[in-house]
Structures are given as structure tokens and as C-alpha cells.
Amino acid sequence: MSTENEVVDYKALAARAISQPLVTHIYTADPSAHVFNGKVYIYPSHDIDAGIPFNDNGDHFGMEDYHVLRMDSPEGKAEDCGVALHVKDVPWAERQMWAPDAITKDGKYYLYFPARARDGLFKIGVAIGDQPEGPFVAEPEPIAGSYSIDPAVFGDDDGEFYLYFGGIWGGQLQKYRDNTYSEIHEEPTADQPALGARVARLSADMKSFVEASREVVILDEQGQPLLAGDNSRRYFEGPWMHKYQGKYYLSYSTGDTHFLCYATSDNPYGPFTYQGQILTPVVGWTTHHSICEFEGKWYLFYHDSVLSEGVTHLRSVKVTELHYEADGKIKTIHPYRD
Ligand code: FUB
């Protein structure tokens, strides 16, 4: 949104914003929204200033717990339901409770979350509760076969559940090939296929993968995999899956180019075909979202750093209506009016 050293008038920017923070008493980010029992529940990261210096690994994103937000409708007020899970109550996790997601099955609620384990590697855990707002009790170990960050859980119409996950750079996805970590691995060079998110089907008890995770490939209009150098379109982090008119929509952040983009497929495993941009860049380095239907209307939940006047790890979740064209294309949203 701004070049280095440019003085930004954040009050003017706030006035131009198409939507305002859902809560202002805490900083929140990475909103995963779902409708449970007729209400909207948002599972965000809870941003804090942990006093950790900025670096490319994102260590300054030092979050420690999760608060769940509840809304009677996406156009209403958001209520903070309080702490749903704290890192001190997760036996395997040490720090950095990053972007979570949640789902319900058979009367239980499952919160999926990434955190750094004591060996410095991100893993994904699951915590279980009886109500959408928690509290959630974490399983003693991370999900076997999970790694990296940004879990997004998707329940298909046939009763199967899938976990999408993965993020490059601070999210460590570039350190894995075929689900195995090695320090020698790096992001592919610009002319090689980009790394994709990962997906695995969940077990009936929602606590494990029934298969090794697979790569989610995104193809261009010629049917070729997007390349690692295609920074404005390739996958970076923050996967989200939703279904619209029978098609699977994979949406995600492009990271260093700060777009939310999407690709579609007839299969939850893909391959997906790139379609376009959902959201142009927001204030702050990261952009992360979810898409949720409520009473026949569709909404984009996202975040920006306007409230903190541009502090990239102090973000605020927002919501705006999302519209489809007749052919199923999503209309691009611009977060600030001209
Ligand atoms: O909130 C920490 C990280 O920032 C998330 O995991 C990424 O998706 C980015 O939003």
C-alpha cells in the first residue's frame, strides 16, 4: 500500500476502508469464519506485541492464545467469547499460535491450529470442545504427518473432511519434499513449478490423517503448473476451501505480492485452475482470509493493519460481502475506496 518512508495518513485510510475492524479491544488476524447453530463464529489469531524483533521468519508474530468471536450475522456486532485455548495448555507446543480454523462433527467442535514445537518446527494440532466458542482441550501430540502452518478444514457434502495447510518462508513449507523435512530444501527457483499447499483427508475421529498429505497443484490457463517466479499468482500461505455451485474453490495469499487469489477444480485434491484475484493488497504485509455463506449471501473475512497504523503483526479482522459473476467468477474486492 505504501512505499518505505512515505508518511501515511491512517485516519484518512480508515475513512476510505470498505469495512471497519470487527473488534478493537484486541488485535485479531487470519479470520476463519463458519456458521454454527445459526450464528457466525470467527476463529482468528490473537495478535500481541510479544517484544520480539522483526525478521523474515515472522518470529515477531508471537501469539500465545486464541479468542473466538461470535456474530448474530456478518452485518452485526462481534462479541469476544474469551480465551478458547492457550499455548501453555498445549503439551507439545512452545510458541507462535498462528492462524487456526475449526469445524463441527457429531456435536463436537474441532479447533485446528499451528504452533512451533520445541524443536523449532511448526506442526498442526487439534483441540476439542463441546461448544463452538470452546474452551478446547488440546490433544497431547500434534497430528502425525502434519507440518508447516495455516490449517483450513473443509467438510465436503459426502461427509468427508479434509485439512489443507502450508505456508512458505516463515511457515517452513519450502523445507519439505514428499512430506520429509530437510535443511537442504529451499523454495524452487523462478522457472520451476511453485510449491503448493498440502491436503490430507481426516480420520472419522477428526484427530489424524488417513493418508499422507498430497500437494495441491494450481495450473495456469494453458494447463501448466504455476511457476515459483509467478509471485502474483503462485501459492504462498493461507489456504481456504469452499464450494460454490458444485465447484471447489481454493483461495490463498500470494504473500510477497499481497493478493488474495483463487483457483477452481472439480475435485477437492485438485488440480486447480487459477481464476483471479479476490482482494487487492491491504495495509500490512500479510493478507489472510476466509469465505463463508450466511443466509444466501457470501462474505469475505480478512484483516488489515490500519487500526495499529501499519504495524504488520498487529492486525484487525474485517468482513465485507463477496459477489460472484453469473459464470462463477468472484468479483475482485478493493479494500479502500479511491
Ligand atoms: O498470523 C501469522 C501468520 O501471518 C499466518 O499464519 C499467515 O497466514 C499470516 O497471516
Side-chain angles (χ1 to χ4, degrees), residues 29-30 45 47 61 63 97-99 114 149-150 237-238 253 286-288 303 315:
D30 309 325
S45 300
D47 282 358
F61 292 92
M63 297 85 105
M97 302 283 267
W98 285 11
I149 60 168
D150 291 355
E237 64 184 5
S253 165
T286 69
T287 187
H288 189 123
H303 70 223
R315 301 161 290 181

Side-chain angles (χ1 to χ4, degrees), residues 55-116:
N55 63 27
D56 282 347
N57 271 340
D59 287 343
H60 47 295
F61 292 92
M63 297 85 105
E64 296 177 350
D65 64 12
Y66 296 114
H67 286 228
V68 178
L69 306 180
R70 178 170 51 216
M71 304 176 84
D72 286 341
S73 99
E75 282 151 27
K77 280 196 180 326
E79 174 194 357
D80 178 359
C81 302
V83 177
L85 180 69
H86 195 284
V87 67
K88 69 176 165 41
D89 298 319
V90 183
W92 60 269
E94 187 177 58
R95 61 198 160 103
Q96 291 176 291
M97 302 283 267
W98 285 11
D101 191 16
I103 201 100
T104 186
K105 183 185 178 193
D106 299 335
K108 294 273 182 203
Y109 294 85
Y110 297 86
L111 180 76
Y112 296 90
F113 61 96
R116 255 189 223 256

Side-chain angles (χ1 to χ4, degrees), residues 31-259:
S32 294
H34 295 274
V35 178
F36 297 136
N37 308 327
K39 292 183 189 288
V40 180
Y41 285 86
I42 306 167
Y43 299 84
S45 300
H46 173 201
D47 282 358
I48 54 168
D49 193 346
I52 299 165
F54 283 67
N55 63 27
D56 282 347
N57 271 340
D59 287 343
H60 47 295
F61 292 92
M63 297 85 105
E64 296 177 350
D65 64 12
Y66 296 114
H67 286 228
V68 178
L69 306 180
R70 178 170 51 216
M71 304 176 84
D72 286 341
S73 99
E75 282 151 27
K77 280 196 180 326
E79 174 194 357
D80 178 359
C81 302
V83 177
L85 180 69
H86 195 284
V87 67
K88 69 176 165 41
D89 298 319
V90 183
W92 60 269
E94 187 177 58
R95 61 198 160 103
Q96 291 176 291
M97 302 283 267
W98 285 11
D101 191 16
I103 201 100
T104 186
K105 183 185 178 193
D106 299 335
K108 294 273 182 203
Y109 294 85
Y110 297 86
L111 180 76
Y112 296 90
F113 61 96
R116 255 189 223 256
R118 289 180 186 79
D119 62 3
L121 297 186
F122 275 103
K123 304 274 183 202
I124 295 168
V126 59
I128 304 167
D130 292 323
Q131 296 170 24
E133 66 271 30
F136 295 95
V137 177
E139 288 294 294
E141 299 290 339
I143 296 173
S146 75
Y147 52 91
S148 194
I149 60 168
D150 291 355
V153 57
F154 168 70
D156 208 347
D157 304 329
D158 61 1
E160 298 292 354
F161 290 85
Y162 299 85
L163 197 73
Y164 295 82
F165 60 94
I168 60 175
W169 295 17
Q172 303 173 339
L173 184 62
Q174 70 279 6
K175 294 291 179 191
Y176 291 82
R177 295 292 184 278
D178 299 326
N179 294 321
T180 303
Y181 178 91
S182 170
E183 266 304 321
I184 64 164
H185 298 313
E186 293 298 346
E187 203 181 346
T189 54
D191 56 345
Q192 293 179 316
L195 293 174
R198 310 294 304 185
V199 59
R201 193 160 59 84
L202 287 164
S203 56
D205 67 4
M206 305 295 275
K207 296 187 202 174
S208 59
F209 295 161
V210 296
E211 58 192 4
S213 82
R214 313 179 193 184
E215 184 165 39
V216 183
V217 174
I218 304 174
L219 305 174
D220 66 14
E221 51 288 350
Q222 269 85 47
Q224 298 302 311
L226 292 184
L227 298 181
D230 192 350
N231 298 49
S232 294
R233 301 195 297 174
R234 62 96 170 82
Y235 178 81
F236 187 97
E237 64 184 5
W240 186 257
M241 177 59 59
H242 78 281
K243 224 170 169 178
Y244 178 73
Q245 295 187 341
K247 277 221 178 288
Y248 296 88
Y249 283 62
L250 170 75
S251 42
Y252 56 94
S253 165
T254 62
D256 54 348
T257 48
H258 318 290
F259 294 108

